[in-house]
Amino acid sequence: MAASLRALLRPAAAAAARLLALLPPHPRPLPGARGCSAGTPFQYLTMQKTGMQQSVGLIQLNRPQALNALCEGLMEELRRALEALESDPQVGAIVITGSQKAFAAGADIKEMQNKTFQECYSGSFLSGWDKVSTIRKPIIAAVNGYALGGGCELAMMCDIIYAGEKAQFGQPEILLGTIPGAGGTQRLTRAVGKSLAMEMVLTGDRISAAEAKEAGLVSKVFPVEKLLDEAIACAEKIASNSKLVAAMAKESVNAAFETTLAEGNRTEKRLFYATFATGDRKEGMTAFVEKRKADFTDS
């Protein structure tokens, strides 16, 4: 009886095996990612939630054959991933990373090669890239390998840059007969000063992770294999605070980066006063007085 039953089930089992073989493989967990949930399917990147409380959104650029060159498809997927994490109440901070060889080696030159002035101007070419800088949740760029051209610009759109010790940063557009077009001349100058920014933009020369740290472009430098863990740990620490107040703090710091001192101070005062309308401000101060850990709940 058992043998007959096995014989009847054998064709169905074989059909199921053939069906499973046709399905796409399950995305592999990123090195350093702890407790990652299943990623949303994308062609050019993976997106996961990680951390002890699943409070960190983790995006890995995944176009290895082109060193994560930022094609239009990848940037569109990045916008969708960021919007999904922005709207997820569980996520308090985001990490963007690439591979150990390249964070992103630049924009996709093959896509740009035959574009005309009219196409760039009328289509507002690269304008959609600014989506990264408008996300209200804090974003950490975990940079290993090359961050060149658009890759360097993408990292600078993030709020904090952590670098692996072998990372390289550069704006080599001058070598292609053009200039940075996604904020490179603006953010780099504000980050490292006019002299170094001019040198990098006019020569196309790269700087190392250590040089980027010394210049103020990078917050911290870590061994390559520890970079992602450290970025996630920082994101978890940020996510443990009030998400609402973190967004206010980010807006205030960005005001210092983008406006005059007087305007920035006005923005800071306005946002500081606004925290007094939140339950998290009341909880934070009450917890301090009562000598206990704050339990932030405002979203």
Side-chain angles (χ1 to χ4, degrees):
M1 179 67 178
S4 300
L5 183 59
R6 284 197 297 270
L8 288 171
L9 292 176
R10 195 173 295 121
R18 288 194 297 271
L19 179 60
L20 286 172
L22 295 174
L23 295 175
H26 190 279
R28 296 177 60 186
L30 297 177
R34 301 183 297 275
C36 294
S37 61
T40 303
F42 291 98
Q43 182 178 355
Y44 299 117
L45 58 82
T46 61
M47 181 184 75
Q48 301 168 316
K49 289 197 293 187
T50 187
M52 297 298 292
Q53 305 297 323
Q54 296 284 287
S55 61
V56 176
L58 181 58
I59 298 172
Q60 183 184 33
L61 309 183
N62 187 31
R63 200 183 175 210
Q65 73 281 4
L67 294 177
N68 291 333
L70 304 174
C71 62
E72 292 181 7
L74 188 154
M75 294 306 296
E76 172 57 31
E77 290 186 0
L78 181 58
R79 286 193 291 275
R80 286 199 288 117
L82 287 170
E83 287 171 355
L85 294 172
E86 177 88 300
S87 63
D88 189 329
Q90 189 177 16
V91 172
I94 299 167
V95 174
I96 299 177
T97 193
S99 67
Q100 289 193 1
K101 190 171 184 180
F103 176 73
D108 194 315
I109 305 304
K110 292 180 181 179
E111 282 190 349
M112 293 192 293
Q113 182 180 2
N114 297 316
K115 283 188 177 294
T116 65
F117 163 76
Q118 289 87 343
E119 288 174 327
C120 291
Y121 188 82
S122 62
S124 298
F125 183 49
L126 299 185
S127 62
W129 288 33
D130 288 337
K131 179 64 180 179
V132 180
S133 63
T134 64
I135 294 297
R136 302 179 79 175
K137 292 179 180 178
I139 304 177
I140 301 172
V143 178
N144 266 322
Y146 301 117
L148 307 177
C152 187
E153 290 171 312
L154 174 59
M156 291 190 292
M157 290 178 200
C158 299
D159 304 303
I160 299 170
I161 302 178
Y162 276 10
E165 56 193 358
K166 295 182 180 179
Q168 296 183 40
F169 298 84
Q171 297 291 163
E173 289 86 351
I174 195 79
L175 306 178
L176 303 176
T178 187
I179 69 171
T185 62
Q186 305 304 300
R187 290 189 175 92
L188 185 63
T189 304
R190 286 165 168 78
V192 306
K194 178 182 175 181
S195 182
L196 180 55
M198 278 287 192
E199 181 181 11
M200 292 174 66
V201 170
L202 294 178
T203 66
D205 288 348
R206 307 170 188 173
I207 60 173
S208 67
E211 290 169 323
K213 170 71 166 62
E214 183 179 2
L217 180 62
V218 164
S219 176
K220 293 180 181 177
V221 177
F222 298 98
V224 171
E225 65 277 6
K226 293 185 178 180
L227 171 67
L228 189 54
D229 275 335
E230 295 290 348
I232 292 171
C234 179
E236 284 188 278
K237 183 180 292 187
I238 292 170
S240 70
N241 296 317
S242 165
K243 297 177 179 63
L244 182 61
V245 175
M248 293 179 179
K250 172 174 173 171
E251 181 181 346
S252 190
V253 173
N254 279 334
F257 198 67
E258 298 168 356
T259 66
T260 66
L261 177 60
E263 291 177 54
N265 277 330
R266 283 194 291 271
T267 298
E268 180 186 82
K269 282 290 189 296
R270 173 178 59 81
L271 291 166
F272 169 66
Y273 297 153
T275 66
F276 282 76
T278 70
D280 281 347
R281 193 280 316 167
K282 183 176 182 180
E283 163 62 14
M285 292 188 177
T286 301
F288 177 82
V289 171
E290 295 178 354
K291 298 182 179 180
R292 60 176 174 80
K293 183 176 174 60
D295 180 19
F296 298 120
T297 56
D298 278 348
S299 58

